[in-house]
Amino acid sequence: MTQPASAVVGMVGGGQLARMTAHAAGPLDVRLRVLARQQGESATRAAAEVLLGDPDDAASVRALASGCDAVTFDHELVGPQGLEALLATGVPVRPSPEALRYAQDKAFQRQRFTEAGLDVPAFRAVDRLTDARAAALELGLPVVMKTTRGGYDGRGVWPAGDERELTRTLEGLKGHAGALVVEEAVPLASELAVLVARRPGGERVTYPLVETVQQDGICTELAVPARVPDCVAAAAVALGERAVEITGAIGLVAVELFWTGERVLVNEVATRPHNSGHWTIEGAVTSQFANHLRAVLDWPLGVTCARAPAVATVNVLGAAENADPRNNVAAALGLADVAVHLYGKEPWVGRKLGHVTALGDDADETRTRAREAAARLRGGGR
């Protein structure tokens, strides 16, 4: 009797999201084929197969898609040429280029969500830097200016609290040729995230609401359940699910939200596995990475409930002294019920090098344990 062939999924991008997707692929006997720009990227030591090439190079994209059951992404930085080349292969591309645009183009996303009646910060989309000042003054300071394409982890985001800071920021942006989104700086009670996995037929599953902690635009901590009233949590989940349906994306979708204390607003959308879902590897019955694979292959989706009353994840960022967390794994593992994930990346200041997740019965104790493990990896802690 002939043994059925393993499903093959191609993933554009070789970062840590592809690496963790590869770990989830093994138990499902899915072969993950990764298109990485260079050897040594995070996923190149974990994926079943690695191809080196540019995601905008047609030959590289065709080689990735050949023999795949579906192609997906670990980042949004794929230009039109790469997407057109993927579509030409006839292999299902999930999410589609139309859905991916919600993550690639902040102005497009804001405009479409506004047209659909979703609550977003007041904004103006400008094509020229010279129009940014007028847009900021029309909205009323303080504002936040964002590049419409390519920004992530705090890059491509410039706050302006008053006219002096606005002038200084615009002076610093001279030469910036890209379009901008200028939006009101909303007061924040907390930042939240809704994770949804969605199949081609529309079936979806939603994870418990996540509370995120951001510093300088980079997510540093996650907590489940989010510390908001039940009515706010319900409104946030409903808003996130509506946003996902509007994108039409297949796979894992993360919707980042602002809670002002009075309103829940959509901040950003990522049509791929996301930092806000790293807690699911140990903390949920089915991880975001497993459900992403199941969704893009159009397989039944897994249960998303948490495995413990409290889950906390802390990201491990490169420290000022560039300490390498790989030297401190044993110290972190000395804490009970803490999972360590390192991404195989060379350290530099502010770079995401890994994360730790702790499970427990008490939210404060669990968060403290996760923070201590992350501190030990950075070379500090007790």
Side-chain angles (χ1 to χ4, degrees):
M1 183 175 178
T2 303
Q3 185 73 19
S6 301
V8 181
V9 173
M11 191 166 233
V12 178
Q16 64 259 28
L17 298 177
R19 180 188 181 101
M20 287 180 271
T21 304
H23 294 158
L28 300 174
D29 199 25
V30 171
R31 288 184 56 81
L32 189 74
R33 178 184 299 162
V34 166
L35 178 62
R37 289 186 180 274
Q38 59 189 10
Q39 196 67 43
E41 288 187 28
S42 186
T44 58
R45 287 185 291 177
E49 185 177 351
V50 176
L51 303 178
L52 299 182
D54 190 316
D56 285 328
D57 175 67
S60 297
V61 167
R62 283 196 297 269
L64 174 74
S66 177
C68 284
D69 297 285
V71 172
T72 189
F73 309 90
D74 96 326
H75 61 67
E76 295 88 12
L77 307 178
V78 185
Q81 291 177 320
L83 292 173
E84 289 170 7
L86 277 175
L87 291 174
T89 66
V91 175
V93 178
R94 293 167 176 162
S96 68
E98 294 80 6
L100 196 64
R101 189 177 175 189
Y102 282 87
Q104 291 179 322
D105 188 333
K106 293 182 179 68
F108 171 81
Q109 177 228 108
R110 285 280 191 263
Q111 289 160 351
R112 287 297 179 92
F113 284 168
T114 299
E115 291 167 1
L118 271 61
D119 214 354
V120 302
F123 74 98
R124 300 290 183 272
V126 298
D127 293 324
R128 299 177 302 176
L129 187 61
T130 53
D131 295 329
R133 176 181 293 276
L137 296 177
E138 181 185 352
L139 288 168
L141 297 169
V143 298
V144 178
M145 293 177 286
K146 301 177 178 180
T147 184
T148 59
R149 289 178 173 269
Y152 66 98
D153 280 352
R155 299 175 181 87
V157 179
W158 304 279
D162 54 32
E163 288 204 44
R164 180 179 299 177
E165 189 175 12
L166 176 63
T167 298
R168 186 167 60 245
T169 299
L170 292 175
E171 283 291 322
L173 284 173
K174 281 185 176 178
H176 177 81
L180 296 171
V181 171
V182 183
E183 65 183 39
E184 65 171 326
V186 299
L188 292 179
S190 60
E191 297 189 56
L192 308 169
V194 175
L195 300 164
V196 178
R198 187 172 180 274
R199 288 177 69 182
E203 177 197 350
R204 72 184 186 204
V205 292
T206 304
Y207 286 88
L209 184 67
V210 183
E211 180 180 353
T212 70
V213 177
Q214 312 284 330
Q215 293 181 4
D216 299 324
I218 300 176
C219 180
T220 57
E221 295 185 10
L222 310 171
V224 177
R227 295 168 296 177
V228 295
D230 289 346
C231 60
V232 175
V237 169
L239 180 58
E241 290 177 337
R242 284 185 63 203
V244 172
E245 290 302 312
I246 290 167
T247 69
I250 303 302
L252 197 289
V253 186
V255 184
E256 297 179 65
L257 305 168
F258 294 144
W259 164 235
T260 70
E262 296 180 351
R263 304 160 61 202
V264 181
L265 308 170
V266 175
N267 176 26
E268 305 220 343
V269 172
T271 52
R272 52 166 172 76
H274 191 256
N275 194 164
S276 63
H278 289 354
W279 69 273
T280 63
I281 299 174
E282 288 81 26
V285 174
T286 312
S287 78
Q288 66 162 344
F289 302 100
N291 261 338
H292 183 69
L293 289 168
R294 290 160 75 152
V296 300
L297 288 167
D298 200 13
W299 291 355
L301 300 174
V303 174
T304 56
C305 59
R307 290 186 177 274
V311 184
T313 292
V314 176
N315 284 330
V316 178
L317 305 180
E321 65 277 12
N322 281 352
D324 194 328
R326 289 172 290 195
N327 296 327
N328 304 309
V329 173
L333 293 178
L335 292 165
D337 206 3
V338 169
V340 173
H341 294 264
L342 296 181
Y343 305 153
K345 296 157 71 171
E346 294 304 311
W348 64 62
V349 177
R351 192 183 199 191
K352 287 180 183 174
L353 303 176
H355 72 268
V356 297
T357 297
L359 279 65
D361 295 321
D362 178 80
D364 290 338
E365 185 280 329
T366 303
R367 187 179 303 108
T368 297
R369 192 157 22 95
R371 287 174 176 172
E372 172 66 16
R376 292 187 183 189
L377 285 169
R378 289 191 295 266
R382 292 187 292 274

